[in-house]
């Protein structure tokens, strides 16, 4: 089997999967009489993508940028802290209460406080992503 035929076969399978999901989605919405404000039909969603594509693209690019930068910052910060903790066990023990406090606070409670200090925007989003992704590292 040549590479182009394998690629076209994979693309055809992906297209069939998307169409099958769309069909099941449509049948579920129509068959169960789900209101459009809860779950719109697939065609309504596609029309919204066409109509508001630029706005959606701008918002998606903001989200992806904030997520990527926040993950990069948290990884760099976590690596630096891990090296410092490995070199100084006393530093690790001394900072344990702060780590426990941050891990025990839910993000839903921390995010509004960060917004109060930083306002709305990219910096706030990066800070929230950094905090959320830092502590599991």
């Amino acid at each position: 089997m040549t590479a182009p035929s394998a690629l076209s076969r994979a693309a055809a399978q992906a297209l069939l999967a998307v169409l099958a999901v769309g069909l099941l989605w449509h049948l579920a919405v129509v068959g169960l009489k789900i209101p459009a404000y809860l779950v719109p039909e697939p065609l309504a969603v596609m029309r919204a993508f066409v109509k508001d594509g630029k706005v959606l693209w701008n918002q998606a690019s903001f989200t992806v940028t904030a997520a990527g930068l926040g993950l990069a910052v948290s990884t760099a910060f976590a690596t630096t802290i891990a090296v410092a903790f490995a070199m100084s066990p006393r530093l690790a023990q001394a900072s344990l209460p702060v780590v426990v406090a941050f891990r025990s606070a839910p993000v839903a409670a921390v995010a509004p406080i960060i917004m109060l200090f930083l306002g709305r925007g990219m910096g706030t989003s990066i800070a929230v992503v950094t905090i959320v992704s830092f502590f599991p590292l």
Side-chain angles (χ1 to χ4, degrees):
M1 185 180 295
T2 63
S5 67
L7 183 61
S8 62
R9 183 178 187 154
Q13 288 175 341
L15 180 63
L16 283 174
V18 168
L19 289 174
V21 168
L23 179 64
L24 289 173
W25 176 4
H26 175 75
L27 291 174
V29 169
V30 172
L32 297 173
K33 298 178 181 165
I34 300 173
Y37 63 88
L38 288 178
V39 181
E41 292 185 26
L43 290 175
V45 172
M46 292 305 297
R47 282 192 293 270
F49 270 115
V50 171
K51 178 183 169 202
D52 300 323
K54 187 174 181 180
V55 173
L56 293 171
W57 178 257
N58 288 339
Q59 297 301 317
S61 65
F62 178 89
T63 301
V64 169
T65 301
L69 290 173
L71 185 59
V73 168
S74 69
T75 302
F77 190 53
T79 303
T80 304
I81 296 293
V83 170
F85 285 178
M87 293 177 73
S88 173
R90 284 187 176 176
L91 177 64
Q93 288 177 343
S95 61
L96 187 60
V98 176
V99 171
V100 170
F102 264 109
R103 287 198 70 164
S104 64
V107 177
V110 173
I113 295 170
I114 293 172
M115 285 184 68
L116 285 174
F117 287 114
L118 299 177
R120 295 183 55 140
M122 183 64 78
T124 304
S125 298
I126 292 171
V128 170
V129 171
T130 300
I131 290 170
V132 167
S133 59
F134 170 74
F135 287 104
L137 296 176

